[in-house]
Structures are given as structure tokens and as C-alpha cells.
Amino acid sequence: MTRRLRRMAPLALVLCPLAAATPAAAQDSATAAALFDRGLAEMEAGRYETGCKAIAESHRIEPKPGALFTLAICESRWGHVATAFTHFGDYLALHEQLTPEQKIRQGDRPKVAKKEREKLAPLVPELALSLPPGAPAGTVVKRDGRVVDGAALGVSVPVDPGEHVVSTQAPGGPVQETRVQLAHGEKKRVELQVSGAPPPPADGPSGRRTAMYVAGGVGVAGLVLGGVTGALTLGKKSAVREHCGSGIGLSDETACDQAGLDAAESASTTGLLSTIGFGVGLAGLGAAAVLYLTEPKQSDMAAGATSRRIRAGVLAAGPAGVVLGASGAW
């Protein structure tokens, strides 16, 4: 007796879970049957939304070929041609796996499924979604609340006619929605928009390039100003020589008449502008060169450039000519 009990012990370990699972399986089967009956009644009454959902839940709990076929009929009547087309295809694929006895019990359903599928094929819309070039990596695309796999982007997929809500969201950015309307048999390709992507750092390549262009432009403008005002200053040289000192027969070489004083004062102003212009021009070009040659985040160069001080405007007039001077510090 003891030996017999030992031999039956492993078998009991296998049978006990099966026995415990039987009531649960029976309950699921009863639930699936009740949902199917309710869904069928709703479908026959024309309430396709509640009917199709009940039949779909019944098939999920207890997958059966008959429930799948009825679900395809319901979706077709509801106007979900793409969903119905897919369900009819799934039913035909499942029918091929049935035993001969099971196929006989399906009756004319395979013929009806093939006929309905052929009728629905030209009515099924297709939608291809794609992201714009340069979209941030990790951008999430959803269609009607479901995530679209990256491999499916750019591929035309069957969808039901009507309005579809497509959303995109870049990492760290807001959700942007696009509504797409599709008619029966319409094929559409949509390039989505991605908004709110994090901007590049302020000291990134594009920011430094802009700063380099601005500094270079200021430098060129400063040199032009310095050259023009310098030329005007040199033009006053002959007037100072003529109206100051021995140029007009005066004993004091530093004495000037009114015309000489006016020329000297004008030369002083233009000389100051010329000195400042050349200083700003050289500083601007120097800053542009620093931005071009250095790596990003070299902010100390820009800080140093802003601390430059220029002192200019030293003018001496005499028979020898006009002397301009400038001094400065970094």
C-alpha cells in the first residue's frame, strides 16, 4: 500500500492544479458565452459600439473561431472596414489550422469571410505617418492613443475611415496633436510636426557662430570708421601747418590764428573717432578670431574683451605736423 501511494503522489501533484483550475475555466467560459449573447443581441439591434465591444471581450476571454467571425461581421456593419478586413483575415488563417471535424462545424463561414474580405479591400483607407528630418531621437508617436512602433513610421497601414488623432512628443517637450480625416479607400501620407524640443545650449556651435559673425561685423565697421576719420584728420594737416606758427609769420611756433585753431579742434575730434574706430575694429576682429579658434565654453575670452579700456585723443599741432596718440589697458 505504501509503495502504491508513493507511485500516485507525482500524479496527484499534476491532477490537483487541473482540478482546481476547472471551476475557474468553467466560469470564464460562462462569462464569455454571456458576453457573446449580449453582444450578438446588441449587434442585431444596431447598437454596434456596445455589441462589438462585448463580442471582442468574449473572444478575448475564450478565443473561438465563431466569435472571431461574428466580431468581423459586427465591425463591418459598424463601418470599421479596416478592422473588419483584419478580423476576416485572422478568421481565415485560424480556419486553416482547424481539424477536418472542426472545419465542418464552421459551415459556410469561410466562404462568407472570403467574399466579405474581397468586398472590403477597396474600401480600406491607408495612412502613412513620418517624422520630419532632424526630429529628436526618442520622439514618441501615437495614433488614437496607441504608440506607433518606429518600424511602422513611413509605412502605409490600413486604418478605419473617419478622424484619427495623431500625437508627437519629443523628450522633454509638450504633446502636439494632429487630426487626420480619411474617407473610404483614401490613401494619405502625413509628415508630423514636433514642437517644444529642448533648444541647443546657448554656448553651442550655432550660438558661437552667430557671436563670431556679430563680432566680425563690428570689427569691420570699426576699421572702416577709423579709416574714414583718419583720412579726414590727415586732411587737416595742411591747414594746421598753414595757420599755425611760422606758417603765417608769427614768432611763436605754437601760436595759431582762428583758422588754425578750428582745423586743430576738428582734427582732434576726428582723430579721437579714428582712434576709437580702429580700437573697436581690432577688438571685434580679435573677438571673432577667438570665437573661431577656441573650443565652446571659453567665456573668459569674451569677459576679457569687455574689460578693455581705451584712452585716446592726444593732439599736438605745430610746424612739424599733427601728432595723434592713444593709450589703453586690458
Side-chain angles (χ1 to χ4, degrees):
M1 180 65 69
T2 303
R3 292 180 179 178
R4 184 175 299 177
L5 290 175
R6 289 178 180 177
R7 292 176 181 177
M8 294 178 61
L11 182 59
L13 293 175
V14 175
L15 294 179
C16 285
L18 292 178
T22 301
Q27 184 177 357
D28 289 344
S29 181
T31 302
L35 285 170
F36 180 83
D37 292 339
R38 177 190 172 189
L40 185 61
E42 292 288 302
M43 181 184 73
E44 294 299 333
R47 294 185 288 269
Y48 300 115
E49 182 174 2
T50 56
C52 293
K53 289 181 178 179
I55 297 172
E57 181 64 14
S58 172
H59 180 64
R60 185 192 68 81
I61 295 174
E62 189 177 27
K64 287 185 176 181
L68 183 57
F69 175 85
T70 307
L71 178 59
I73 294 292
C74 185
E75 295 285 0
S76 178
R77 293 182 182 180
W78 193 9
H80 294 175
V81 294
T83 304
F85 181 84
T86 301
H87 286 331
F88 279 126
D90 293 340
Y91 169 79
L92 292 173
L94 180 60
H95 182 267
E96 292 298 321
Q97 302 175 9
L98 299 179
T99 64
E101 293 77 10
Q102 291 173 329
K103 288 182 179 180
I104 293 175
R105 289 198 293 268
Q106 292 301 309
D108 292 335
R109 286 176 179 171
K111 295 180 181 180
V112 175
K114 290 180 182 179
K115 185 177 180 180
E116 290 296 320
R117 202 164 188 267
E118 292 173 359
K119 186 191 304 182
L120 292 174
L123 301 178
V124 176
E126 292 183 4
L127 177 62
L129 302 173
S130 62
L131 290 173
T139 298
V140 178
V141 179
K142 293 183 179 181
R143 187 186 72 236
D144 300 325
R146 296 184 177 182
V147 177
V148 178
D149 189 82
L153 293 176
V155 180
S156 293
V157 296
V159 295
D160 291 320
E163 184 180 75
H164 296 269
V165 179
V166 183
S167 66
T168 58
Q169 184 177 23
V175 177
Q176 179 166 340
E177 289 188 350
T178 302
R179 297 184 179 273
V180 183
Q181 190 74 28
L182 287 167
H184 285 85
E186 184 178 7
K187 294 176 175 57
K188 186 175 291 187
R189 304 186 68 87
V190 177
E191 183 176 282
L192 304 172
Q193 300 298 318
V194 181
S195 66
D203 56 349
S206 60
R208 290 182 63 82
R209 191 175 297 112
T210 301
M212 182 185 69
Y213 292 153
V214 172
V218 171
V220 172
L223 292 180
V224 171
L225 175 63
V228 172
T229 53
L232 293 175
T233 301
L234 294 177
K236 301 296 182 179
K237 181 177 180 179
S238 59
V240 174
R241 287 179 177 178
E242 182 179 352
H243 295 279
C244 293
S246 58
I248 57 174
L250 299 175
S251 59
D252 187 356
E253 293 185 355
T254 62
C256 300
D257 61 10
Q258 187 61 43
L261 292 174
D262 292 341
E265 183 179 359
S266 177
S268 176
T269 301
T270 55
L272 177 61
L273 292 176
S274 177
T275 303
I276 294 175
F278 278 117
V280 171
L282 292 175
L285 293 179
V290 169
L291 290 171
Y292 178 77
L293 295 175
T294 58
E295 294 294 330
K297 300 182 180 180
Q298 294 289 337
S299 56
D300 56 332
M301 300 300 294
T306 59
S307 65
R308 185 178 184 187
R309 299 185 301 275
I310 301 174
R311 294 191 300 272
V314 179
L315 173 65
V322 179
V323 179
L324 299 176
S327 62
W330 293 90

